[in-house]
């Protein structure tokens, strides 16, 4: 059962999403990252204002939090988003190792206002040779050299 604190953090993400639309800086999405009961990072959708298709609210919040924490992982952090994350953001949340994800609007709510990611979910399941985006594999043997070096390195920082 969500506590009042969880609702407070979600309301902040929702507030950010509303402010973002009203400011004209980007889409109707906001996110906050919480650690030890305190908001450490905020993010809003900056796709159109930064000309960066990856500048979704969750990614912006993750980038900010990682800078603040001096880490590439968000262990012990919760993320609150005003909408169920798209495939890119969900992947970023998993990569960042957040502890929990809370969301308000659903991906279907987003689709109703023309933010529809169903196409991407479907494409991910298709072998790359059959996707709508023409995808061609080149120089695998040459590229495997970097993987072999990584595999044998004793100085790597695993993540």
């Amino acid at each position: 059962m969500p506590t009042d604190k969880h609702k407070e953090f979600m309301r902040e993400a929702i507030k950010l999403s509303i402010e973002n639309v009203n400011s004209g800086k980007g889409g109707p999405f906001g996110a906050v990252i919480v650690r030890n009961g305190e908001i450490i990072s905020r993010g809003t959708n900056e796709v159109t204002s930064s000309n960066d298709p990856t500048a979704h609210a969750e990614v912006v919040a993750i980038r900010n939090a990682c800078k603040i924490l001096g880490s590439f992982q968000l262990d012990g952090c919760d993320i609150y988003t005003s909408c169920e994350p798209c495939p890119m953001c969900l992947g970023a949340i998993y990569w960042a190792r957040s502890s929990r994800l809370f969301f308000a609007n659903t991906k279907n709510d987003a689709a109703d206002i023309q933010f529809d990611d169903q196409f991407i979910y479907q494409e991910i399941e298709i072998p790359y040779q059959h996707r709508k985006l023409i995808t061609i594999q080149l120089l695998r043997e040459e590229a495997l050299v970097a993987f072999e070096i990584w595999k044998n390195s004793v100085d790597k920082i695993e993540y």
Side-chain angles (χ1 to χ4, degrees):
M1 180 74 180
T3 66
D4 286 341
K5 206 68 167 149
H6 292 299
K7 292 176 183 177
E8 176 186 325
F9 298 139
M10 184 58 73
R11 285 188 178 108
E12 178 66 14
I14 293 166
K15 182 182 99 171
L16 289 169
S17 71
I18 294 167
E19 288 173 352
N20 207 51
V21 173
N22 289 333
S23 72
K25 292 182 180 175
F29 305 99
V32 297
I33 296 179
V34 174
R35 188 173 194 193
N36 299 325
E38 299 291 329
I39 294 174
I40 62 164
S41 175
R42 290 169 171 79
T44 57
N45 180 285
E46 299 175 2
V47 170
T48 57
S49 60
S50 67
N51 293 320
D52 179 354
T54 69
H56 291 200
E58 299 90 336
V59 172
V60 171
I62 289 168
R63 289 173 180 163
N64 293 338
C66 287
K67 284 180 189 171
I68 288 165
L69 296 174
S71 174
F72 54 83
Q73 292 187 341
L74 299 177
D75 299 318
C77 294
D78 294 333
I79 184 163
Y80 296 78
T81 70
S82 63
C83 187
E84 186 175 0
C86 74
M88 176 186 69
C89 292
L90 186 59
I93 291 165
Y94 272 102
W95 278 114
R97 310 290 197 269
S98 299
S99 296
R100 293 183 291 185
L101 165 66
F102 298 84
F103 69 91
N105 292 319
T106 67
K107 63 183 177 183
N108 293 329
D109 296 328
D112 288 344
I113 61 163
Q114 308 309 307
F115 287 95
D116 188 359
D117 301 320
Q118 190 57 38
F119 170 74
I120 298 171
Y121 286 109
Q122 291 168 345
E123 284 285 295
I124 289 170
E125 295 299 318
I126 298 171
Y128 75 85
Q129 302 92 329
H130 302 289
R131 293 180 184 156
K132 298 230 184 303
L133 175 63
I134 297 169
T135 306
I136 302 160
Q137 184 178 23
L138 292 174
L139 303 176
R140 178 175 179 257
E141 293 301 319
E142 291 179 33
L144 282 172
V145 172
F147 282 15
E148 191 64 28
I149 294 168
W150 172 264
K151 184 174 87 173
N152 295 323
S153 174
V154 294
D155 296 326
K156 66 186 169 211
I157 299 173
E158 295 192 24
Y159 58 98

